[in-house]
């Protein structure tokens, strides 16, 4: 609700005045700012204490909700360079921020970066990247093959996103997910040797 973040800040101020504020208090205020799409407030609070992974994830999510993808990437990088270790939630929120900002190359980069930092992409991560691909349908199609290779089962959310990305393709002859996967595998193998359109 609109006024809850203001109430959370007021309570945090009271706790600070009484020297009762701790990391949990700040994280609650950041989460309230995130839910209210107050990314500037979330970032301001982030600088007022020693944040943890929860703080960074909530701040990245606040930026994601407002399509502030460049700031999400900065936060992800900042979290990686400190003692904090990004989680699947950190990456998924940053990927979703890139998706909302219409920047599929960065979304794809983050997805492919996850295993390098010992994290496993999930269906949500893949779905956000497919949605970000938009008119770059060839990337969306290749992600289905990548999911299978990475042993991530495509669920309903991913398949809906993939169908939207491929709306302009003449896929009427495909009658099942198996047909789509076969076509996708052939397409991706052919594209690996050529430049994408």
């Amino acid at each position: 609700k609109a006024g809850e973040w203001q109430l959370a800040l007021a309570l945090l101020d009271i706790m600070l005045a009484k020297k009762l504020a701790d990391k949990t208090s700040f994280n609650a205020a950041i989460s309230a700012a995130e839910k209210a799409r107050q990314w500037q407030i979330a970032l301001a609070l982030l600088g007022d204490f020693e944040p943890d992974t929860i703080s960074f994830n909530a701040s990245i999510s606040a930026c994601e909700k407002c399509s502030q993808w460049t700031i999400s990437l900065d936060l992800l990088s900042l979290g990686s360079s400190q003692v904090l270790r990004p989680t699947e939630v950190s990456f998924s929120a940053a990927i979703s921020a890139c998706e909302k900002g219409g920047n599929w190359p960065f979304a794809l980069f983050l997805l492919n970066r996850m295993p390098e930092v010992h994290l496993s992409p999930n269906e949500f991560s893949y779905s956000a990247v497919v949605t970000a691909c938009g008119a770059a349908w060839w990337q969306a199609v290749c992600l289905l093959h990548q999911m299978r290779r990475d042993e991530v089962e495509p669920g309903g959310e991913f398949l809906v996103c993939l169908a939207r990305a491929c709306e302009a393709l003449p896929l009427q002859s495909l009658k099942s997910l198996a047909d789509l996967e076969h076509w996708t595998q052939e397409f991706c193998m052919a594209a690996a040797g050529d430049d994408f359109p």
Side-chain angles (χ1 to χ4, degrees), residues 155-173:
E157 179 183 352
F158 175 84
L159 295 174
V160 167
C161 295
L162 181 62
R164 285 186 186 136
C166 295
E167 282 177 345
L169 292 177
L171 299 177
Q172 296 83 5
S173 63

Side-chain angles (χ1 to χ4, degrees), residues 39 46 48 52 69 100 107 111 118 126 147 191 195:
W39 65 273
L46 197 60
D48 289 344
D52 59 12
W69 66 272
K100 286 185 173 66
L111 181 78
H118 309 290
Y126 278 100
M147 271 182 97
D195 291 333

Side-chain angles (χ1 to χ4, degrees), residues 143-154 177 181:
L143 281 170
L144 177 61
H145 180 64
Q146 183 177 335
M147 271 182 97
R148 289 294 195 189
R149 188 189 66 225
D150 293 344
E151 298 179 358
V152 177
E153 190 65 33
L177 180 58
E181 287 183 281

